[in-house]
Amino acid sequence: MGKIASSLLDEGVMLGVSSRGIGSLRTTNEGYKVVGEDFMLATAADIVADPSAPDAFVSGIMEGKEWIWEGGILREQLAKQTEKRINTLVDQKRLQEHKLNLFNDFLSNL
């Protein structure tokens, strides 16, 4: 299904997204309906041709991006920083292994 969606986007088709959730509504003093604390998202997102929300169309796909929920706000997690940290740790482990191999070689030559 992802390949179909990707092909449609490549051809310029505007895809809509829709989600479903369950929970209660409460009415504010101003008469607005507000989603209650018991809300649960039932689906992450479905691709649809005609979404109920007017701005629920896909304008781009950001693959390779990671997002985190921070203080009630969805923020982009910088994957490069994480990758750099992992590589640094890997390099440090390799350095430690190299030192240990050199030491073992030294001992075996005594």
Side-chain angles (χ1 to χ4, degrees), residues 16-23 35 39-53 55-58:
V17 292
S18 176
S19 62
R20 289 184 295 272
I22 56 173
V35 176
F39 175 78
M40 287 180 33
L41 192 61
T43 61
D46 294 323
I47 295 175
V48 296
D50 188 22
S52 60
D55 294 331
F57 284 95
V58 176

Side-chain angles (χ1 to χ4, degrees), residues 53-81:
D55 294 331
F57 284 95
V58 176
S59 60
I61 296 176
M62 295 188 296
E63 292 183 10
K65 302 282 184 180
E66 294 183 28
W67 300 85
I68 58 169
W69 189 258
E70 182 180 280
I73 300 171
L74 194 60
R75 299 184 188 269
E76 182 180 349
Q77 178 69 32
L78 299 176
K80 286 290 181 192
Q81 286 180 349

Side-chain angles (χ1 to χ4, degrees), residues 78-95:
L78 299 176
K80 286 290 181 192
Q81 286 180 349
T82 304
E83 181 182 2
K84 184 178 179 182
R85 178 73 179 134
I86 290 169
N87 289 339
T88 298
L89 292 173
V90 168
D91 289 343
Q92 287 174 354
K93 183 177 179 187
R94 285 185 187 151
L95 179 60

Side-chain angles (χ1 to χ4, degrees), residues 93-109:
K93 183 177 179 187
R94 285 185 187 151
L95 179 60
Q96 293 299 328
E97 289 173 356
H98 184 65
K99 287 178 183 178
L100 184 59
N101 288 336
L102 287 173
F103 182 72
N104 287 335
D105 289 344
F106 172 76
L107 291 178
S108 65
N109 289 327

